[in-house]
Amino acid sequence: MQELKDRIIKDGEIYPGDVLKVSSFLNHQLDTELLDHIGREIADIFSKSKITKLLTIEASGIAIAMGVSRYINVPIVFAKKNKNKNMSQDVYTAEVVSFTKGTSTQVSVEKRFLSKEDSVLIVDDFLAKGSALNALTTIVKESGADLVGCAIAIEKVYQGGGAEMAQKGIRVESLAKIKSMSVEDGIVFED
Ligand code: 5GP
């Protein structure tokens, strides 16, 4: 998606540890028009699929999922990182290693929000090593729902998460695929 790639080049910031900061339009301040266009693009890609739920992970995935939900009008379920008191105990859980923090967290989804009747599209902002997607696909599997695929705004291809998903036969569609990234040479996209 050229508009997203252009915006990454214009406003993305490369940080140590292979982190691309997109805080001015996707991760902190939100460009709602861009999010709408991302949503439209994802909806177009999956237009032939039956989808009953969008599944993402808090916090940044929610904004992407909201964009998609304007074109695929189904509920968004987001995996929660901290199980709180007002959450039912009847939950699916999986482990996520945070790419940016390096810490491990359990994420949960209440069982009543995903069932074997569902066809699920997973949505997230970034795909790096694949831990977040692994956790979300595990939750879908546990629920018995059908996994339609995964839609990602920005994939850092060289970090291998996408290849791992493909090996498992999971469809992953990323709108901006980064082939390499460094302060010296900048960001290079795949075609
Ligand atoms: P993974 O689990 O695939 O290693 O990393 C994906 C998750 O880590 C995403 O949910 C995203 O929030 C975060 N993440 C991974 N790489 C980056 C990055 O370069 N920049 C930002 N802002 N977040 C990232």
Side-chain angles (χ1 to χ4, degrees):
M1 181 187 177
Q2 200 53 48
E3 182 186 358
L4 177 58
K5 291 180 186 171
D6 291 345
R7 190 61 178 273
I8 292 167
I9 295 295
K10 183 167 165 272
D11 292 329
E13 302 163 285
I14 301 167
Y15 270 59
D18 259 320
V19 173
L20 174 64
K21 277 234 172 193
V22 289
S23 303
S24 66
F25 58 101
L26 278 192
N27 280 165
H28 191 9
Q29 174 173 265
L30 302 176
D31 181 333
T32 54
E33 193 182 11
L34 177 64
L35 283 161
D36 180 74
H37 295 172
I38 288 172
R40 190 175 58 198
E41 187 84 9
I42 291 172
D44 272 357
I45 294 170
F46 286 94
S47 62
K48 293 202 166 67
S49 304
K50 178 190 159 217
I51 294 163
T52 65
K53 293 268 165 82
L54 300 173
L55 175 66
T56 189
I57 183 164
E58 65 177 354
S60 302
I62 298 172
I64 309 281
M66 284 294 293
V68 179
S69 75
R70 299 196 53 189
Y71 297 92
I72 303 175
N73 187 16
V74 296
I76 297 166
V77 179
F78 62 93
K80 293 196 171 220
K81 287 182 179 157
N82 295 305
K83 231 163 59 174
N84 48 30
K85 282 201 184 110
N86 55 19
M87 209 172 169
S88 144
Q89 294 308 299
D90 213 7
V91 290
Y92 306 113
T93 56
E95 202 74 17
V96 179
V97 179
S98 161
F99 178 83
T100 42
K101 298 191 201 95
T103 51
S104 179
T105 336
Q106 236 191 18
V107 296
S108 317
V109 169
E110 286 192 31
K111 287 190 176 172
R112 63 190 167 131
F113 296 131
L114 273 189
S115 77
K116 61 179 184 343
E117 323 300 334
D118 282 312
S119 297
V120 179
L121 176 64
I122 292 175
V123 177
D124 205 4
D125 58 343
F126 273 91
L127 170 55
K129 294 184 175 166
S131 181
L133 280 196
N134 252 320
L136 294 175
T137 55
T138 300
I139 285 172
V140 172
K141 207 168 169 193
E142 229 188 299
S143 74
D146 181 38
L147 176 61
V148 173
C150 306
I152 303 293
I154 305 170
E155 176 179 350
K156 291 178 288 177
V157 177
Y158 59 96
Q159 291 181 323
E164 207 179 295
M165 289 292 136
Q167 250 174 16
K168 290 184 189 164
I170 296 170
R171 180 180 178 193
V172 177
E173 300 283 352
S174 305
L175 304 191
K177 288 181 151 192
I178 298 177
K179 193 155 70 173
S180 66
M181 182 176 90
S182 68
V183 178
E184 301 76 38
D185 301 325
I187 296 166
V188 179
F189 292 106
E190 277 191 9
D191 298 330

